[in-house]
Every structure is written in structure tokens, then in C-alpha cells.
Amino acid sequence: MLNIFSILVGLLVLLLALVGFIPFLGWLNWVIIPIGIVGIALGALSSSKTGRNLNIILVIICAIRLFVGGGLL
């Protein structure tokens, strides 16, 4: 059950990350990364690793986008 919640959080993070990739909306990644960390925690508590892995990949992608944009863009 926790894995399903983790996947749902991951899908929410994915949708928000798509918006965050638009130029000048990179600041949205500051909100996305903590939500992804919550998804990682939910995935870590479940027996399956799918949701956890999805959230880890999304958090890494958002962190790289934040780094490339200089933290704001």
C-alpha cells in the first residue's frame, strides 16, 4: 500500500517537474525536491522498491535542473 502512495507521489513530482523545466520556473524545483523526499520515505517503508526508485530518479533530475539553472532559473 505504501508503494502505491509512493508511486502516486512520484507521478505528482513528475507532473510538477515537467512544469519546472520551463525557463524561469526552475524555482519550482525547490518545492518539488522535498515532496520527492517524502515519496522516497514512503517507498523505503514498503516492501517493493518501484516507488522509491522512481522518486530517487526524479529528485536527482530536479536537483540537476536546479544546479544547471543556478538555483533560481
Side-chain angles (χ1 to χ4, degrees), residues 9-65:
V9 169
L11 292 175
L12 174 69
V13 168
L14 178 63
L15 290 175
L16 291 173
L18 290 175
V19 174
F21 274 101
I22 296 173
F24 299 110
L25 292 177
W27 55 268
L28 189 60
N29 288 316
W30 286 107
V31 176
I32 297 171
I33 291 174
I35 296 172
I37 292 172
V38 169
I40 292 171
L42 288 174
L45 294 174
S46 71
S47 59
S48 182
K49 295 179 173 42
T50 307
R52 184 198 64 184
N53 293 342
L54 172 67
N55 284 301
I56 288 172
I57 290 169
L58 290 172
V59 166
I60 289 171
I61 290 171
C62 289
I64 291 171
R65 165 62 175 98

